[in-house]
Amino acid sequence: MEALLHQVMLGISNGAIYGGVALALVMIFKSTHHVNFAQGELAMFTTYVSWTLIQAGVPYWAAFALTLMFAFALAAAIQGLILQRVQHAPVLVVVIVFIGLLIFLNSMASWIFGTTIKPFPSPFAVDAWYGTAYFSPHQVGMTVVTLATLAAVYGFFRYTRLGLAMRAAAINPISSRLVGVRVDLMLALCWGFAGLLGAVAGMMAAPMFYLAPDLMSGILVYALAAALLGGIDNPWGAPIGGFIVGVAENLAGSYLVGTQIRLSVALLIIVVVLLFKPSGLFGRKSVVRV
Amino acid sequence: MSALLELRGVSASYGAAPVLQSIDLAVEQGAVVALLGANGAGKTTLLRAVCNMMVRTGGEIRLAGKRIDGQSTAGIVRLGVAHVPEGRGTFEELTVAENLRLGSYVRRDADGVTRDLARVLGYFPVLEQRQRQQAGTLSGGEQQMLAIARALMLRPKLLLLDEPSFGLAPMVVQKIFEILGTINRQESIGMLLVEQNARLALDLASHAFVLETGRLVMSGEASTIAGDESVRRAYLGM
């Protein structure tokens, strides 16, 4: 029973990370109708940047904040300088660009930072008061940080003028231009926020898995499963999908399939969702009027 | 004094095929100008050319004397051109209130926006009760009203209207045109109106142009155009 509870809690904290990356995927999908396969590598690369800053003696939370700014700028620049040029290209071209970005970021990380795995510090002390037998302080901390980031992003989109303009640009770019919204800028900002969410997920995940160029490759698959399960066009579905995938993955890994092949749980979820409920649990059915 | 909107030798094309050729057209301050023509004559393209949207243009387009051709759509909107596109272009997933807020997106005068919201909802009281509703759940007529209301929230100098009667019941169309008339009388907004329903358009407009396969073939006082034999036969069904 205790082991079960432990696995559930572990699933929830992992799920927070998957949910964060899933929301990043959903944001980009909603605004451009593309799945950003390079989302994970972007997060991994920015996590290396924060590692470099921390190694250089920058205090953790300062490095955290600087990394968020870097991640925002890098992601916005990728949209503005690269993807904007292929926005009207066939979808296969865009997919190839994403895969190119994935390989490029991965190779750059290996080249610049080396491929040896590195321990990554957690800002949450091992003996902090909020740790319990089931939930280590880092797991509590990362769940709280991820949820707080999600809440901030939702608040931004729901209550600010710029957030409204970004939603409008995603829903109807033509009408958005007609009310004076600079749609290309909004897409770049949207990428920026997605990059920021990924950076938070990367920095929170790294202390659990060590930092290596493949830090996010598994997480991206779980996040994709979470996004599809929650409904790829529903931002509210992403974190819920993340928690479900996190818990399912941990329970299946412990009791059903063993830890070696638990990534296949995510693949199974992806296949089942796509086969039986492509709109996900909370997505809207896409109806094409003809 | 220069006209509010002036087109000189304007051409427009999608890709290689020219849609408009050597168009000269003017809309005076506060005037309603109707643009008539059959399907495919290039009416919608002309409105798109004015705000540089989805179409390549040549020639000169001036707003209150200043060249605007070549500027970005968002930039032209900021100069005071509101476009109610064909198919209304409402943000269906957003609420009515959010649609209206987007209409005033480029404005920085919060007090003015609040006053304008009250004024615009005065024109379209039905939107007042529907503010929290998703725009996509409104009826066609209400969506058209929302599209016009959203355009007015810009406090535009020039309003481009692309077939506001399209797909609506005659009663609703009548009402929308009455409101457009009221708006024109109460505010000095110039309107360029593309309309299939030539009779309604000529009633509202002071001036009219007739477009045929990409060229202007006739222009004049709305009453003169309405009395023209060929126009009566082609567009008024008499």
Side-chain angles (χ1 to χ4, degrees):
Chain A
M1 190 60 208
E2 279 199 5
L4 175 73
L5 201 56
H6 184 74
Q7 288 301 329
V8 170
M9 294 305 229
L10 193 61
I12 286 175
S13 59
N14 283 358
I17 294 207
Y18 305 155
V21 179
L23 180 61
L25 292 172
V26 168
M27 279 169 59
I28 288 182
F29 181 82
K30 268 196 88 88
S31 54
T32 61
H33 294 272
H34 296 137
V35 175
N36 179 9
F37 294 110
Q39 191 74 60
E41 303 309 291
L42 204 55
M44 175 274 297
F45 193 83
T46 50
T47 306
Y48 268 108
V49 171
S50 72
W51 179 82
T52 309
L53 288 170
I54 293 166
Q55 289 305 104
V58 179
Y60 182 90
W61 290 109
F64 185 88
L66 285 171
T67 303
L68 294 192
M69 284 184 240
F70 172 78
F72 192 98
L74 177 65
I78 287 177
Q79 159 65 23
L81 299 175
I82 301 173
L83 282 150
Q84 200 151 297
R85 289 164 207 277
V86 292
Q87 59 181 339
H88 300 300
V91 68
L92 206 54
V93 172
V94 181
V95 169
I96 290 168
V97 169
F98 278 131
I99 292 172
L101 272 173
L102 187 159
I103 295 170
F104 177 75
L105 287 167
N106 194 290
S107 313
M108 286 299 278
S110 304
W111 185 48
I112 299 173
F113 306 107
T115 49
T116 51
I117 60 168
K118 298 172 169 65
F120 192 89
S122 166
F124 311 106
V126 186
D127 54 357
W129 57 269
Y130 44 81
T132 66
Y134 304 112
F135 231 29
S136 76
H138 180 73
Q139 286 174 291
V140 176
M142 80 181 203
T143 309
V144 170
V145 166
T146 310
L147 289 180
T149 312
L150 293 184
V153 168
Y154 283 124
F156 171 80
F157 278 104
R158 179 73 182 77
Y159 295 110
T160 68
R161 173 176 168 276
L162 192 58
L164 177 62
M166 287 171 68
R167 280 190 290 152
I171 293 169
N172 191 335
I174 292 171
S175 287
S176 299
R177 290 200 177 90
L178 290 181
V179 295
V181 173
R182 300 196 186 277
V183 172
D184 293 337
L185 178 65
M186 295 302 129
L187 291 187
L189 291 180
C190 185
W191 263 75
F193 277 104
L196 185 149
L197 281 169
V200 171
M203 285 186 280
M204 291 295 116
M208 304 193 39
F209 307 111
Y210 292 102
L211 180 56
D214 67 349
L215 169 71
M216 299 301 283
S217 51
I219 292 177
L220 183 71
V221 179
Y222 290 120
L224 195 55
L228 285 168
L229 185 64
I232 189 95
D233 65 349
N234 183 352
W236 295 101
I240 300 172
F243 287 125
I244 297 175
V245 170
V247 171
E249 168 231 348
N250 266 286
L251 292 183
S254 310
Y255 299 106
L256 289 176
V257 296
T259 50
Q260 305 301 321
I261 56 163
R262 60 189 204 176
L263 189 60
S264 54
V265 175
L267 297 172
L268 186 70
I269 291 174
I270 292 175
V271 171
V272 169
V273 170
L274 289 180
L275 276 180
F276 298 106
K277 203 162 187 333
S279 56
L281 294 176
F282 312 102
R284 85 182 53 222
K285 277 210 183 64
S286 74
V287 179
V288 180
R289 252 179 261 168
V290 284
Chain B
M1 194 169 127
S2 51
L4 174 60
L5 176 74
E6 198 171 6
L7 277 64
R8 222 176 275 161
V10 168
S11 62
S13 62
Y14 301 99
V19 179
L20 295 176
Q21 280 170 325
S22 53
I23 301 287
D24 294 311
L25 178 152
V27 178
E28 299 299 328
Q29 309 272 358
V32 179
V33 170
L35 189 58
L36 307 179
N39 276 333
K43 308 186 295 292
T44 294
T45 305
L46 197 150
L47 294 193
R48 286 177 180 170
V50 171
C51 46
N52 193 16
M53 181 171 92
M54 304 191 293
V55 61
R56 198 140 22 119
T57 57
E60 279 180 32
I61 304 175
R62 288 172 193 273
L63 185 72
K66 284 201 203 80
R67 290 279 291 262
I68 59 165
D69 49 282
Q71 289 201 35
S72 72
T73 304
I76 292 168
V77 170
R78 276 156 212 261
L79 296 173
V81 178
H83 188 160
V84 180
E86 88 183 312
R88 304 173 196 124
T90 45
F91 299 93
E92 299 195 349
E93 293 171 44
L94 300 181
T95 65
V96 169
E98 286 172 329
N99 269 273
L100 293 173
R101 257 167 68 202
L102 278 167
S104 59
Y105 172 73
V106 301
R107 292 175 60 181
R108 287 289 181 275
D109 54 326
D111 294 346
V113 169
T114 313
R115 274 197 305 277
D116 283 353
L117 182 62
R119 191 169 50 84
V120 165
L121 290 175
Y123 291 131
F124 303 103
V126 63
L127 297 178
E128 172 100 62
Q129 311 137 27
R130 303 238 191 273
Q131 288 215 55
R132 313 241 110 254
Q133 216 168 306
Q134 276 201 337
T137 65
L138 300 183
S139 73
E142 288 165 350
Q143 286 200 36
Q144 186 63 61
M145 291 180 193
L146 176 59
I148 296 170
R150 188 191 70 204
L152 290 175
M153 287 304 295
L154 180 70
R155 190 179 281 185
K157 299 188 186 87
L158 174 67
L159 186 58
L160 307 174
L161 293 154
D162 199 343
E163 298 218 24
S165 75
F166 187 79
L168 301 181
M171 291 273 287
V172 180
V173 173
Q174 199 71 45
K175 195 164 168 194
I176 286 176
F177 271 76
E178 272 167 30
I179 297 170
L180 286 175
T182 311
I183 292 167
N184 181 246
R185 278 191 300 279
Q186 295 190 354
E187 322 190 7
S188 69
I189 298 177
M191 298 185 190
L192 181 55
L193 170 68
V194 160
E195 191 45 75
Q196 287 278 329
N197 190 328
R199 194 185 315 253
L200 271 174
L202 290 172
D203 275 350
L204 183 63
S206 56
H207 209 85
F209 291 86
V210 179
L211 201 58
E212 245 170 52
T213 56
R215 291 172 187 280
L216 286 177
V217 292
M218 197 185 297
S219 78
E221 300 276 318
S223 51
T224 318
I225 300 271
D228 183 89
E229 191 58 34
S230 62
V231 170
R232 288 168 76 90
R233 220 175 305 123
Y235 303 109
L236 297 172
M238 296 190 251

